[in-house]
């Protein structure tokens, strides 16, 4: 929205600093947002330099420090809380060997050096990572072995994590005692949230120690081991320094940690809510909470990350801002929804603190400081002349379908009628929002102002879509694919939030056929498909989207064969089978759960009224050209996830044909609990198989408890005799065939049934246990 370099009065100097390269300069703003600090770690000649600027002309000299060689490397700049006598914060400049300069800013005077301190106790210590929390500094330092020629593999755990309070008073600066949080540890990067310290393993760590994170809770004086893929692992209180040994901390958790995969971390940052944001090399953005749990937020473009592009993360309220390869992503942290995607004209930008402005993001670039507001529509959007006319034409089609009159409704009648207020209001809002550059904006009616605030995000989406279409046309061939993926995602989202008629369904079919991979990504985004902590698929789609997925027009099979238009549910199932087949049964189960909540059972209006959803998914599986063993397993899972009696029995017979007896017994044991009728059908089926062969003999201890209460011994014998295999030889007392059924195998079941109390016996036993036995004589009737 504009540049405020003029506030500096030295904008050309800051431009020169930022032009040194992306890796050479580090920009940080003070907690109140009034000061900017630029740290140049390497520049020609390689001399570090710190320069501080005032955002607004309060008065006072700026800070500029240069250091001559062979000065050790600068670790970082950190702001610490201080008493109100010196202001709300002070600046600590820390070097690699522990030397620390403490500065504070006084209005009308400028920056003043308070004191120079030594942070580390050992002369050979080297700080590799540093963060600040309140008035304390937390750092990870390397303590090299005394013997310079010793084997480095034996000294792998030569790092320790320390903390030290830095107290600022009127008499000067005083360092508190050094407290060792963790010693004999590998190298860690320390990141501070308001109440916790995250210890992230460095890239050079060993494979065994890079499978988990450590979270230090200063208030509770405990360390938590957390593996993002497995959640909370172990927590230990640090009562003494002897308990803070890294190797002792891992005792008892080595077996669990050894089976985990190493962490995949490309970039990390701390959110303002206190969680740790992690970006993997594949583009997954996750947040790790202080209790060790992990939640997936968003998927970035993994191809750019694989090429080594850097990622910048920062949270503004509930909005997560990411900058990747010159593209700004604005993501809702709570829902994972992409709010905005902006292509920036510069690739190197820095996020700045903007206290008191929760609805805007400030970016520092080589040309100025820019403010991006995501709560108001952009003023620089280009007008679309035919958009208002398109609104009236679409409204004519809509009202014509609902009208009982045969007279043709035209745009002129719609505008002059004065009855249809919705298109008139929408056209007024579009003219007000999109045509401000061509002519002065007219004031909106009070009734339209609230609607405009509701539609602002939709208007931004429309303008970004138009910009994206322009990029697709003008982009080189190498970038067309990425633009097309974004275009497909926006188009699928747009159609899913509108009425799914035959035209829109045909359009979706063409999208899924032309861009299958992009359509799959769009489906995952719109339905918000992701795995929870237990590894189960969850979908956080809104009820409106679910109704579009399940309640669209359904065609008969002949009609599908004639015109090739597939319902949306079948389109999504096809994408599952192609890109993520393991998720399909769980997806069908989720759709059935939504159907059971939204529509009555066997309702003709619902999607289950004609063909059940699991059968529709099985129809997609049956239309595959090549059939494999994985398809057999998929068919079983689809039948079982439906939990319908006929489908469960069909799956049971399929497993019996495949002779997978262990799975047969597991299915019988699980689904016999659904209903007594299904329990009886399953038991009779397995009893018949028991009579035919001896494959079920190892599972009789599990099979006999499934016997229904209403089956008698004669019923069991009848089923067994009906399914006995008849031998061709003459019957003899002792048969030589190994699959012959014996009385001894059937005896436990018959004893179980005979010893079971009958219903009538229970009734009589209750009468016999009456306290008045025999019953009193009834009175005589005269």
């Amino acid at each position: 929205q504009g540049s405020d370099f003029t506030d500096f009065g030295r904008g050309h100097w800051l431009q020169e600093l930022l032009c040194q390269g992306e890796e050479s300069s580090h920009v940080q703003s003070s907690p109140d947002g009034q000061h900017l600090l630029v740290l140049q770690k390497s520049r020609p000649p390689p001399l570090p330099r710190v320069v501080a600027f005032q955002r607004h002309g309060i008065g006072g000299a700026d800070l500029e420090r240069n250091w001559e060689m062979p000065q050790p490397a600068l670790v970082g700049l950190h702001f610490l809380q201080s008493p109100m006598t010196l202001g709300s914060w002070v600046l600590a400049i820390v070097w690699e060997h522990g030397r620390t300069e403490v500065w504070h800013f006084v209005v009308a005077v400028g920056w003043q050096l308070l004191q120079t301190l030594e942070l580390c106790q050992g002369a050979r210590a080297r700080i590799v990572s540093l963060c600040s929390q309140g008035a304390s500094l937390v750092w990870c330092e390397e303590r090299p072995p005394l013997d310079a020629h010793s084997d480095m593999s034996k000294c792998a755990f030569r790092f320790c994590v320390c903390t030290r309070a830095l107290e600022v008073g009127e008499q000067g600066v005083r360092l508190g005692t050094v407290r060792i949080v963790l010693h004999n540890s590998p190298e860690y990067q320390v990141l501070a949230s308001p109440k916790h310290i995250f210890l992230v393993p460095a890239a050079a760590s060993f494979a065994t120690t890079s499978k988990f994170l450590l979270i230090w809770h200063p208030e509770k004086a405990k360390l938590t081991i957390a593996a993002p893929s497995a959640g909370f692992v172990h927590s230990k209180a640090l009562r003494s320094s002897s308990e803070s040994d890294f190797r002792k901390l891992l005792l008892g958790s080595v077996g669990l940690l050894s089976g985990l995969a190493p962490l995949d971390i490309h970039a990390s940052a701390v959110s303002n809510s206190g969680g740790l944001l992690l970006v993997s090399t594949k583009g997954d953005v996750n947040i790790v909470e202080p209790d060790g749990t992990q939640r997936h937020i968003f998927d970035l473009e993994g191809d750019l990350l694989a090429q080594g592009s850097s990622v910048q993360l920062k949270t503004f309220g509930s909005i997560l801002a990411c900058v990747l390869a010159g593209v700004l992503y604005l993501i809702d942290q709570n829902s994972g929804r992409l709010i905005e995607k902006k292509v920036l004209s510069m690739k190197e930008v820095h996020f700045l603190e903007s206290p008191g402005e929760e609805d805007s993001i400030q970016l520092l670039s080589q040309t100025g400081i820019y403010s991006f507001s995501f709560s108001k529509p952009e003023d620089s959007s280009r007008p679309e002349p035919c958009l208002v006319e398109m609104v009236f034409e679409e409204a004519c089609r809509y009202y014509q379908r609902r009208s009982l009159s045969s007279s043709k409704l035209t745009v002129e009648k719609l505008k002059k009628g004065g009855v249809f207020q919705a298109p008139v209001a929408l056209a007024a809002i579009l003219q007000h929002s999109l045509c401000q550059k061509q002519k002065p904006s007219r004031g909106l009616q009070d009734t339209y102002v609230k609607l405009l605030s509701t539609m602002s995000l939709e208007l931004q989406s429309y303008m970004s879509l138009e910009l994206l279409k322009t990029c697709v046309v003008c982009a080189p061939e190498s970038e067309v694919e990425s633009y097309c993926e974004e275009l497909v995602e926006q188009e699928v989202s747009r159609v899913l939030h509108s009425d799914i008629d035959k035209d829109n369904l045909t359009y979706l079919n063409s999208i899924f056929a032309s861009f299958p991979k992009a359509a799959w990504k769009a489906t995952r985004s719109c339905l918000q498909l992701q795995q929870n902590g237990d590894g189960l698929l969850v979908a956080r789609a809104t009820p409106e989207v679910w109704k579009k997925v399940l309640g669209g027009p359904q065609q008969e099979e002949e009609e599908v064969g004639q015109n090739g238009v597939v319902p949306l549910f079948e389109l999504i199932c096809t994408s599952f089978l192609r890109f993520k087949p393991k998720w399909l049964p769980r997806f069908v189960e989720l759709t059935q759960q939504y159907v059971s909540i939204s529509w009555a059972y066997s309702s003709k209006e619902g999607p289950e009224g004609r063909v059940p959803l699991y059968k529709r998914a099985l129809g997609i599986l049956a239309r595959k050209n090549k059939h494999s063993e994985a398809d057999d397993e998929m068919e079983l899972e689809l039948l079982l996830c439906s939990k319908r009696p006929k489908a469960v029995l069909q799956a049971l017979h399929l497993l019996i044909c495949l002779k997978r007896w262990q799975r047969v017994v597991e299915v019988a044991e699980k689904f016999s609990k659904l209903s007594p009728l299904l329990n009886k059908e399953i038991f009779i089926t397995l009893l018949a198989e028991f009579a035919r062969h001896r494959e079920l003999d190892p599972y009789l201890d599990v099979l006999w408890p499934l016997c229904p209460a209403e089956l008698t011994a004669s019923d069991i014998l009848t089923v067994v005799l009906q399914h006995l295999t008849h031998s061709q030889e003459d019957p003899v007392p002792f048969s030589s065939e190994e699959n012959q059924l014996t009385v001894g195998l059937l005896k436990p079941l018959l004893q179980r049934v005979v010893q079971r109390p009958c219903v009538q016996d229970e009734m009589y036993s209750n009468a016999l246990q009456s306290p008045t036995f025999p019953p009193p004589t009834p009175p005589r009737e005269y």
Side-chain angles (χ1 to χ4, degrees):
Q1 291 181 346
S3 166
D4 64 351
F5 260 171
T6 53
D7 294 346
F8 290 106
R10 302 162 72 180
H12 63 282
W13 194 5
L14 187 55
Q15 288 181 4
E16 179 186 349
L17 290 174
L18 294 178
C19 287
Q20 299 297 328
E22 187 174 355
E23 299 297 331
S24 62
S25 58
H26 172 72
V27 180
Q28 194 171 351
S29 56
S30 60
D32 56 7
Q34 298 297 327
H35 298 266
L36 285 182
L37 286 95
V38 180
L39 168 61
Q40 285 186 294
K41 295 183 179 180
S42 61
R43 61 189 181 89
L47 299 176
R49 179 165 64 159
V50 172
V51 182
F53 293 92
Q54 291 179 249
R55 289 286 303 274
H56 307 286
I58 305 175
D62 293 331
L63 171 66
E64 181 183 1
R65 287 297 311 271
N66 294 282
W67 292 276
E68 301 294 338
M69 296 299 289
Q71 183 77 19
L74 273 171
V75 178
L77 312 171
H78 292 274
F79 295 96
L80 302 173
Q81 295 177 358
S82 66
M84 296 304 294
T85 55
L86 293 174
S88 59
W89 51 267
V90 294
L91 171 66
I93 305 176
V94 185
W95 280 265
E96 190 177 53
H97 64 313
R99 183 186 174 192
T100 304
E101 290 185 359
V102 181
W103 294 75
H104 77 113
F105 183 81
V106 180
V107 179
V109 176
W111 289 92
Q112 293 183 347
L113 176 63
L114 291 179
Q115 202 164 342
T116 302
L117 307 166
E118 293 295 334
L119 196 61
C120 301
Q121 288 183 329
R124 305 176 73 250
R126 184 179 69 91
I127 298 177
V128 296
S129 178
L130 179 77
C131 66
S132 61
Q133 186 183 65
S136 299
L137 288 171
V138 183
W139 71 92
C140 178
E141 70 175 41
E142 180 185 11
R143 296 183 174 179
L146 296 176
D147 185 6
H149 301 286
S150 60
D151 187 5
M152 293 302 291
S153 62
K154 297 180 181 178
C155 307
F157 302 98
R158 62 185 186 277
F159 296 86
C160 66
V161 179
C162 310
T163 180
R164 198 168 190 177
L166 196 149
E167 301 172 1
V168 183
E170 295 181 357
Q171 304 301 325
V173 183
R174 187 176 67 87
L175 280 174
T177 57
V178 177
R179 179 186 174 189
I180 297 179
V181 180
L182 190 68
H183 61 87
N184 294 331
S185 74
E187 182 180 352
Y188 278 105
Q189 178 190 6
V190 289
L191 298 168
S193 71
K195 293 185 179 181
H196 307 86
I197 303 293
F198 293 95
L199 278 64
V200 181
S205 298
F206 295 92
T208 53
T209 60
S210 63
K211 298 181 178 181
F212 56 90
L213 304 169
L214 296 179
I215 306 172
W216 179 42
H217 310 264
E219 295 180 355
K220 301 179 181 178
K222 71 175 184 178
L223 269 172
T224 297
I225 304 175
S229 59
F232 171 82
V233 176
H234 178 61
S235 183
K236 184 176 182 180
L238 305 177
R239 301 183 187 89
S240 62
S241 60
S242 61
E243 295 183 352
S244 62
D245 186 80
F246 177 77
R247 286 166 286 195
K248 291 182 180 179
L249 178 69
L250 295 187
L251 288 178
S253 306
V254 177
L256 175 61
L257 295 173
S258 61
L260 300 176
L263 296 176
D264 182 12
I265 301 177
H266 179 80
S268 58
V270 177
S271 69
N272 52 11
S273 63
L276 177 65
L277 294 165
L278 298 177
V279 181
S280 69
T281 55
K282 298 178 182 177
D284 299 332
V285 182
N286 300 302
I287 184 169
V288 179
E289 301 295 344
D291 58 359
T293 57
Q294 174 177 289
R295 179 171 59 89
H296 179 72
I297 297 181
F298 191 70
D299 291 331
L300 293 172
E301 298 177 12
D303 298 339
L304 296 175
L305 291 171
Q307 298 171 6
S309 300
S310 62
V311 182
Q312 294 192 55
L313 305 171
K314 192 168 181 61
T315 53
F316 298 85
S318 62
I319 305 299
L320 170 63
C322 304
V323 173
L324 171 62
V327 179
L328 173 65
Y329 298 84
L330 298 181
I331 304 154
D332 188 348
Q333 278 191 109
N334 300 324
S335 64
R337 183 175 64 91
L338 179 64
I339 299 176
E340 186 81 14
K341 182 177 179 181
K342 279 285 183 184
V343 180
L344 305 178
S345 59
M346 68 287 291
K347 288 193 175 181
E348 182 186 354
V349 294
H350 301 272
F351 289 114
L352 299 180
E353 296 288 343
S354 52
E357 299 181 13
E358 293 287 332
D359 57 347
S360 66
I361 295 174
Q362 292 188 6
L363 299 170
L364 172 66
S365 71
Q366 297 177 5
T367 59
I369 296 178
Y370 295 89
S371 174
F372 180 80
S373 175
F374 45 82
S375 63
K376 300 176 182 178
E378 289 184 274
D379 296 335
S380 59
S381 56
R382 295 183 179 180
E384 183 68 28
C386 61
L387 184 60
V388 174
E389 200 68 25
M390 288 170 58
V391 169
F392 283 110
E393 291 176 359
E394 189 69 26
C396 284
R397 292 177 57 189
Y398 174 74
Y399 288 121
Q400 191 72 51
R401 286 198 303 266
R402 299 184 56 184
S403 176
L404 299 177
S405 174
S406 58
S407 60
K408 184 72 173 176
L409 182 63
T410 62
V411 175
E412 288 74 17
K413 292 181 180 179
L414 192 66
K415 289 180 179 179
K416 295 177 182 179
V419 180
F420 309 103
Q421 290 299 314
V424 175
L426 181 58
I429 289 173
L430 291 175
Q431 288 175 342
H432 175 268
S433 303
L434 302 179
C435 303
Q436 291 183 354
K437 292 295 179 180
Q438 284 189 343
K439 51 187 176 182
S441 59
R442 294 173 294 177
L444 272 178
Q445 298 181 20
D446 294 338
T447 55
Y448 296 166
V449 173
K450 187 176 180 180
L451 185 60
L452 173 61
S453 63
T454 307
M455 289 181 54
S456 60
L457 287 177
E458 298 297 331
L459 290 172
Q460 290 184 21
S461 300
Y462 169 78
M463 294 309 303
S464 63
L465 181 60
E466 291 300 312
L467 178 63
L468 183 60
K469 290 178 181 178
T470 307
C471 293
V472 171
V473 176
C474 304
E477 188 175 354
S478 58
E479 301 178 6
V480 168
E481 184 177 357
S482 62
Y483 283 124
C484 285
E485 287 185 0
E486 179 66 24
L487 187 59
V488 167
E489 182 174 346
Q490 293 199 25
E491 282 295 276
V492 171
S493 176
R494 180 187 64 81
V495 174
L496 286 181
H497 287 84
S498 60
D499 293 333
I500 306 291
D501 52 12
K502 288 187 178 181
D503 295 337
N504 281 334
L505 191 57
T506 306
Y507 180 46
L508 282 177
N509 273 256
S510 63
I511 289 179
F512 275 76
S514 304
F515 307 98
K517 188 175 180 181
W520 162 245
K521 289 184 178 180
T523 303
R524 286 186 59 179
S525 176
C526 293
L527 296 179
Q528 299 188 42
L529 298 172
Q530 51 189 288
Q531 287 180 305
N532 61 5
D534 299 329
L536 289 177
L537 177 69
V538 293
R540 295 185 174 89
T542 59
E544 290 76 14
V545 175
W546 272 124
K547 286 186 178 180
K548 302 297 171 52
V549 172
L550 301 176
Q554 297 183 16
Q555 290 88 357
E556 301 294 338
E557 285 199 19
E558 301 163 355
E559 194 177 339
V560 171
Q562 288 176 0
N563 54 24
V565 178
V566 181
L568 182 56
F569 177 77
E570 275 77 356
L571 283 177
I572 296 176
C573 289
T574 306
S575 291
F576 270 102
L577 279 177
R578 182 169 181 177
F579 296 103
K580 204 74 172 179
K582 292 182 179 180
W583 286 5
L584 179 57
R586 175 63 180 168
F587 171 72
V588 175
E589 190 175 354
L590 290 173
T591 56
Q592 291 175 154
Q593 292 175 6
Y594 176 77
V595 167
S596 62
I597 296 173
S598 304
W599 286 284
Y601 183 74
S602 298
S603 171
K604 292 297 182 182
E605 297 179 357
E608 297 268 7
R610 294 182 184 176
V611 182
L613 292 172
Y614 81 95
K615 285 190 176 181
R616 293 171 64 180
L618 284 172
I620 298 295
L621 184 64
R623 283 195 283 270
K624 287 186 65 175
N625 296 329
K626 295 182 180 180
H627 200 75
S628 61
E629 294 182 2
D631 294 336
D632 291 334
E633 187 66 27
M634 179 66 64
E635 183 178 356
L636 286 171
E637 293 296 333
L638 288 173
L639 289 170
L640 294 176
C641 77
S642 69
K643 297 181 182 179
R644 293 197 171 197
K646 289 185 179 180
V648 172
L649 290 175
Q650 185 179 347
L652 195 67
H653 286 292
L654 187 57
L655 286 170
I656 290 172
C657 293
L658 296 173
K659 297 184 178 181
R660 297 172 57 182
W661 305 112
Q662 175 71 29
R663 187 77 190 281
V664 166
V665 175
E666 291 175 357
V667 170
E669 193 175 14
K670 177 180 179 181
F671 290 93
S672 293
K673 303 173 185 178
L674 293 181
S675 69
L677 185 60
L678 182 59
N679 181 21
K680 183 177 181 181
E681 292 288 341
I682 291 175
F683 182 78
I684 291 177
T685 301
L686 297 186
L687 186 61
E689 290 298 318
F690 166 75
R692 292 192 185 99
H693 49 74
R694 306 275 58 77
E695 301 288 348
L696 286 172
D697 290 357
Y699 310 101
L700 295 182
D701 293 339
V702 182
L703 183 59
W704 295 153
L706 301 180
C707 180
E710 64 269 17
L711 279 186
T712 62
S714 59
D715 296 334
I716 293 172
L717 290 175
T718 302
V719 174
V720 170
L721 292 175
Q722 285 177 351
H723 297 88
L724 277 176
T725 55
H726 299 286
S727 176
Q728 300 295 331
E729 303 175 359
D730 294 333
V732 291
F734 303 99
S735 174
S736 60
E737 296 184 6
E738 296 180 355
N739 63 346
Q740 187 71 26
L741 176 62
T742 62
V743 177
L745 291 172
L746 201 58
K747 182 178 178 181
L749 176 61
L750 295 177
Q751 285 180 336
R752 186 185 187 92
V753 174
V754 171
Q755 292 173 2
R756 182 188 298 157
C758 182
V759 178
Q760 293 183 351
D761 294 342
E762 290 181 359
M763 180 178 65
Y764 290 125
S765 66
N766 292 336
L768 291 174
Q769 291 175 3
S770 175
T772 56
F773 182 79
T777 305
R780 296 180 180 273
E781 296 180 1
Y782 297 96

